[in-house]
Amino acid sequence: ITCIQGQTLSPVIIDIESKSVEVLAKDELNRGVTVLDVSEGYIVGSRSDPVTPPHLVVARVSDQKFVPVFSPTSLADMSWNQLNFLEDGSAGSSIYVGSQENSKLILWPHGGPHACITTSFNQEVAFFALLGYSVLLVNYRGSLGFGEEHVWSLLGNIGDRDVKDCDLARETCLKTHPNLTKVFAYGGSHGGFLALHLAGQYPDQYVKVVARNPGVNLTSKLVSDIPDWNFNEAGLDYAWLAPTPHQISKMYYKSPISNIERIQAPVYLMVGKNDLRVPPSQSYDLLHAMKSLGKQVKLTAYQDNHPLSKPESLADRLFNTVLFYEDME
């Protein structure tokens, strides 16, 4: 099977008889491999990295070393590397993709929040990179792949620890890539929640924000198909009851809406009309609130659900993101 180790997908052998687990990540050739099939003594997989699209690889079960079936082709003039941004020994890591000549950076935290952006190829990242943007993919504390303690550390700390990690990742990246002069925030779901928080908590650092189906106000997001999420991620027990005034206050101050008056960057909200995970009303509430404060904000609603992954939605939101960043709307 395949699992996440750090930020990288790695093949794993599980011996049912001995109840042992072996991660095949020591060999560089095995990193980034997704196992597809095992048959007649061979393992077939797919390998990629941020600048190399998926390609078939094969290994013998006996030696477990994957080699490409055909020579892969990488994106021209693009490079990538991993950046660790926490100095206290905690696991905090990010993936930088881009060209040394780029001056614009898109900071992109994942959703979840308990998920992970891996070193696998991502077509959206490639789209931005080929248009002259560098991309920083952030795995803040609470992400998968770094151990259970790392995951649990975020409960009760959303809107604070994850936000600080993202901005520290930006700071670390700019130190190693001084050519980057403009930073844009971008993300969906909890990634959108973080993009809005970054605009509110660090208003001088982010030029523009694109947030897809973002959580905006935990107190009004209880109509989600996962209402327990709002309680648990805020560090509260979910008792299947209406929240108390204390719980409402705690949820509110962990929400991006609490920093709305500090937001300076123009914000573009992208919403799925059929989203059950984060109700569209979350973005409409922010739209009206920002307009009432005289701030720059716009919204596009798609006939889609939470991921906005229908081909027509995906293409439209990618093009509109770039047009928004480039002031070409």
Side-chain angles (χ1 to χ4, degrees):
I1 65 171
T2 306
C3 72
I4 304 170
Q5 295 290 307
Q7 302 180 117
T8 303
L9 293 176
S10 298
V12 175
I13 294 178
I14 300 176
D15 191 318
I16 299 175
E17 293 183 356
S18 65
K19 298 181 179 180
S20 62
V21 177
E22 181 184 1
V23 180
L24 306 180
K26 293 181 180 180
D27 194 312
E28 183 71 30
L29 293 175
N30 292 348
R31 296 174 188 171
V33 171
T34 298
V35 174
L36 302 177
D37 196 10
V38 181
S39 179
E40 299 182 7
Y42 287 91
I43 310 170
V44 177
S46 171
R47 182 169 60 210
S48 70
D49 64 46
V51 298
T52 308
H55 52 281
L56 283 176
V57 291
V58 64
R60 292 185 177 88
V61 173
S62 57
D63 62 19
Q64 301 153 10
K65 292 184 179 181
F66 289 89
V67 294
V69 177
F70 302 102
S71 297
T73 301
S74 299
L75 300 180
D77 302 319
M78 296 293 169
S79 62
W80 70 279
N81 62 289
Q82 301 187 60
L83 297 172
N84 295 322
F85 52 83
L86 294 176
E87 299 178 355
D88 62 356
S90 302
S93 197
S94 59
I95 304 164
Y96 172 84
V97 185
S99 166
Q100 291 297 327
E101 299 178 358
N102 294 347
S103 62
K104 298 169 290 187
L105 176 70
I106 296 175
L107 186 141
W108 182 351
H110 60 74
H114 307 297
C116 181
I117 301 179
T118 70
T119 57
S120 299
F121 187 78
N122 183 310
Q123 290 183 343
E124 291 186 50
V125 174
F127 173 82
F128 290 126
L130 290 171
L131 289 177
Y133 293 85
S134 291
V135 182
L136 185 66
L137 307 165
V138 184
N139 286 312
Y140 43 85
R141 282 172 290 180
S143 303
L144 300 179
F146 300 93
E148 188 173 359
E149 183 178 346
H150 186 264
V151 173
W152 284 90
S153 70
L154 187 58
L155 295 183
N157 294 303
I158 61 167
D160 177 48
R161 180 170 292 176
D162 44 4
V163 182
K164 289 176 179 175
D165 282 1
C166 288
D167 194 66
L168 183 57
R170 173 199 62 82
E171 197 174 283
T172 303
C173 181
L174 295 188
K175 288 179 181 178
T176 57
H177 298 84
N179 53 299
L180 299 170
T181 57
K182 288 185 177 181
V183 183
F184 303 90
Y186 179 81
S189 193
H190 192 76
F193 169 97
L194 291 174
L196 294 172
H197 257 307
L198 288 167
Q201 295 188 35
Y202 304 92
D204 298 329
Q205 304 300 333
Y206 298 89
V207 178
K208 289 187 176 182
V209 174
V210 172
R212 295 176 283 107
N213 288 322
V216 173
N217 186 345
L218 269 62
T219 66
S220 60
K221 197 165 76 69
L222 298 173
V223 293
S224 164
D225 63 344
I226 49 170
D228 50 309
W229 185 100
N230 302 277
F231 286 85
N232 297 153
E233 294 297 340
L236 302 168
D237 290 331
Y238 181 52
W240 296 85
L241 300 171
T244 65
H246 167 72
Q247 290 174 325
I248 290 175
S249 176
K250 191 169 184 179
M251 289 183 191
Y252 176 81
Y253 285 107
K254 292 184 179 299
S255 304
I257 195 72
S258 65
N259 292 311
I260 187 173
E261 293 185 356
R262 299 184 61 200
I263 295 177
Q264 298 177 13
V267 173
Y268 189 176
L269 301 165
M270 298 179 173
V271 182
K273 294 180 180 179
N274 304 319
D275 190 355
L276 300 179
R277 184 58 42 93
V278 178
S281 58
Q282 289 281 295
S283 290
Y284 281 103
D285 286 350
L286 183 66
L287 175 75
H288 296 309
M290 288 189 67
K291 282 186 174 181
S292 72
L293 294 171
K295 297 180 181 293
Q296 295 183 57
V297 61
K298 61 180 292 187
L299 183 149
T300 297
Y302 296 92
Q303 198 66 44
D304 206 340
N305 49 37
H306 191 58
L308 296 182
S309 58
K310 288 183 178 179
E312 59 270 31
S313 304
L314 174 61
D316 189 80
R317 65 176 173 82
L318 285 175
F319 282 116
N320 275 324
T321 294
V322 173
L323 292 175
F324 177 66
Y325 286 163
E326 296 291 334
D327 297 313
M328 294 171 62
E329 309 134 275

